[in-house]
Amino acid sequence: LAAAVTHALGGKRDRRVVAAVDEALVLSADHELNASSFTARIAASAGADLYACVGAALMTMSGPRHGGECDRFEALAAEAGEPRRARAVVAARMQRGDPLHGFGHRLYPAGDPRAARLVDVAHRLARGAPAPARAALRTIDALIAAVARAGGEPPALDAGLVAVAVAAALPPGSAGTLGAIGRTAGWIAHVLEQRGDPSLLRPRARYV
């Protein structure tokens, strides 16, 4: 699957690139009851077929507050452009009160372990990557360092996915695609598990 995804995204079907993409897919597969996985379970509890359940989850992930963080982190890296501008870009955003997309996760106050792993994977892959890919990864490193120096939060999964996509010389937008394809395996697992429970998921509302 990783080889097919790499090829579909226009990447080089090199063994090291495919292994990095595979790790990104695995680390994206599941993250308990996030919005899209919960949507898949609700659809499954209603008896929807597997395609409808995955479609519902994918539509939820299309929301910018859930699946759009990779694209926003890419935009942050593009705004910096090169490592020497990272501190200025981060400082300007923090001064304006703008969010630093790709950083911080409320479940991981000490740092998202998935992001740390994927950044390491990207660094290993970058040793044999084209010069533009290595340069883009250096900009990501500079952004992570700049946010840390400014007292910001550690990078989240989205930043790690972008780092891998950059090191693999994949086109812009590939990071979010990797996350969605990887998460599809998790959605299917949630659907199959939910079908073992005959009850309909029906949260209650408390009116105030």
Side-chain angles (χ1 to χ4, degrees):
L1 180 61
V5 170
T6 302
H7 179 69
L9 291 173
K12 186 178 179 182
R13 295 186 78 167
D14 174 87
R15 177 181 58 82
R16 295 171 64 249
V17 172
V18 171
V21 168
D22 187 53
E23 191 147 7
L25 295 175
V26 170
L27 288 174
S28 300
D30 191 38
H31 202 234
E32 60 166 52
L33 286 180
N34 53 69
S36 56
S37 296
F38 189 45
T39 300
R41 293 193 83 113
I42 291 173
S45 78
D49 68 29
L50 183 59
Y51 293 99
C53 293
V54 172
L58 188 61
M59 293 306 100
T60 302
M61 199 176 200
S62 72
R65 295 177 62 188
H66 184 22
E69 286 294 291
C70 285
D71 292 340
R72 291 176 172 184
F73 182 77
E74 278 188 354
L76 176 64
E79 182 182 345
E82 51 189 0
R84 65 185 181 86
R85 294 197 64 246
R87 292 182 69 176
V89 167
V90 168
R93 286 205 173 199
M94 295 182 82
Q95 187 174 14
R96 293 193 302 265
D98 293 344
L100 289 168
H101 298 287
F103 292 89
H105 195 297
R106 62 189 179 89
L107 297 184
Y108 305 110
D112 189 335
R114 302 168 299 171
R117 175 67 181 177
L118 289 177
V119 170
D120 286 343
V121 169
H123 282 140
R124 291 201 305 271
L125 184 60
R127 293 170 193 158
R134 295 198 304 272
L137 187 58
R138 285 195 295 271
T139 299
I140 291 174
D141 288 338
L143 284 170
I144 293 173
V147 171
R149 277 195 299 267
E153 297 183 278
L157 172 68
D158 315 282
L161 288 171
V162 173
V164 168
V166 161
L170 299 178
S174 297
T177 301
L178 292 177
I181 294 174
R183 187 58 55 85
T184 301
W187 293 333
I188 292 171
H190 278 282
V191 168
L192 297 179
E193 184 178 70
Q194 188 63 43
R195 284 178 174 171
D197 185 343
S199 61
L200 176 69
L201 282 177
R202 173 63 167 84
R204 294 301 309 278
R206 184 176 65 181
Y207 295 91
V208 294

